[in-house]
Amino acid sequence: MAEHVTVAREGAVQVVRLNRSEKKNALTAAMYAELGDALRTAREDADIGATLVLGHPGIFCAGNDMADFLAASQGGGMLAAYALIEALAEHDKPLLAAVDGPAIGIGTTLMFHCDLVFATERATFHTPFTDLGLLPEAGSSLLGPRTMGHARAFELLVAGAPFGAERAKEAGIVNHIVASEELEAAARASAEAIAKKPREAVRMAKRLLRGDPAPLKARMQEEGALFLERVRSDEARQAFMAFLQKSAR
């Protein structure tokens, strides 16, 4: 079976690719675990200066694999998602993403943890949390308003309105919009340039820009407890079943 998350070293850049295009890169518990491991490796490896997260042409990430997510929520599989979220909070090296096509759920909330995001005109950012009876995750309830202001954060994270690339750039979660055929090259060039800079200076500067991580970690814990409560609610179960039935048609 092909790996659903591939990790490669390109000089001082760690390149992480979501590699489940047949399922639109929907994340399973195993993929969450692999992503968390990649971030921890990058943080601890002195030879890595930046991490770049990629999808495939026309798709970045469809969020959670709903069938896998439902199974994980009944057992210990949610721990893998929490491990990734914790790794994001602790990650103190440059993190970049290149988005072409839909970025749904965690595919969008990941952007709040990235330092540079490249997107194409066909990139869309969508978090249908409340449609599924759920809540914002990965610290997005704190980072969203901080980045975009309350009104736009509410529109994206609660109302579930899709943001196109231009709106996402205006809101502050996308840095550059480039042509699809130039996306990966542009993101790689930026990652390589950052990785060449004095590494400890970059890490210290990122820490200053991000500020004290304690409030973020506390919010993530609060979100996690409430999220798990919501997953087990009748409201969310009914929304999940409706989603799966619709997807099966």
Side-chain angles (χ1 to χ4, degrees):
M1 182 185 296
E3 293 180 355
H4 290 155
V5 175
T6 60
V7 182
R9 183 80 62 85
E10 298 180 6
V13 177
Q14 181 193 59
V15 179
V16 179
R17 187 183 294 277
L18 304 179
N19 194 34
R20 198 184 179 216
S21 56
E22 72 280 5
K23 294 292 186 180
K24 299 182 180 179
N25 289 338
L27 298 187
T28 62
M31 293 171 72
Y32 272 110
E34 290 170 16
L35 288 167
D37 287 344
L39 288 180
R40 283 184 286 275
T41 295
R43 186 168 185 259
E44 295 167 3
D45 190 333
D47 293 329
I48 295 177
T51 294
L52 172 61
V53 183
L54 304 172
H56 285 272
I59 181 66
F60 182 70
C61 175
N64 287 311
D65 180 297
M66 291 303 294
D68 184 87
F69 176 76
L70 279 173
S73 68
Q74 305 307 311
M78 294 290 287
L79 294 176
Y82 296 149
L84 170 61
I85 289 169
E86 184 178 68
L88 287 169
E90 296 176 346
H91 198 67
D92 60 356
K93 288 185 179 180
L95 181 63
L96 297 83
V99 182
D100 185 25
I104 300 171
I106 186 67
T108 287
T109 56
L110 172 65
M111 300 302 113
F112 293 117
H113 297 276
C114 290
D115 304 293
L116 284 171
V117 176
F118 290 77
T120 69
E121 289 287 356
R122 58 184 178 181
T124 56
F125 303 86
H126 184 206
T127 62
F129 297 128
T130 57
D131 292 337
L132 294 170
L134 300 175
L135 302 170
E137 34 78 322
S140 59
S141 65
L142 177 67
L143 298 177
R146 182 187 293 177
T147 302
M148 303 187 293
H150 172 82
R152 282 184 293 201
F154 185 94
E155 186 178 4
L156 177 69
L157 297 170
V158 181
F163 278 33
E166 289 289 350
R167 185 77 196 283
K169 184 180 179 185
E170 174 192 328
I173 58 175
V174 165
N175 297 86
H176 304 286
I177 299 174
V178 300
S180 295
E181 61 272 17
E182 299 171 3
L183 177 66
E184 291 196 12
R188 277 187 164 89
S190 183
E192 289 167 2
I194 292 170
K196 290 177 181 177
K197 294 180 181 293
R199 205 147 293 162
E200 192 57 27
V202 171
R203 292 180 76 158
M204 292 174 69
K206 174 169 176 169
R207 287 176 193 151
L208 287 171
L209 290 173
R210 291 286 179 172
D212 182 2
L216 175 58
K217 291 181 179 180
R219 179 60 61 87
M220 286 174 161
Q221 291 177 352
E222 181 181 6
E223 287 176 345
L226 291 172
F227 195 93
L228 188 57
E229 179 182 309
R230 293 303 305 160
V231 166
R232 294 170 176 168
S233 70
D234 289 339
E235 187 176 58
R237 288 175 189 273
Q238 291 171 12
F240 294 156
M241 295 310 298
F243 176 87
L244 291 172
Q245 289 171 4
K246 183 178 178 181
S247 300
R249 292 173 187 165

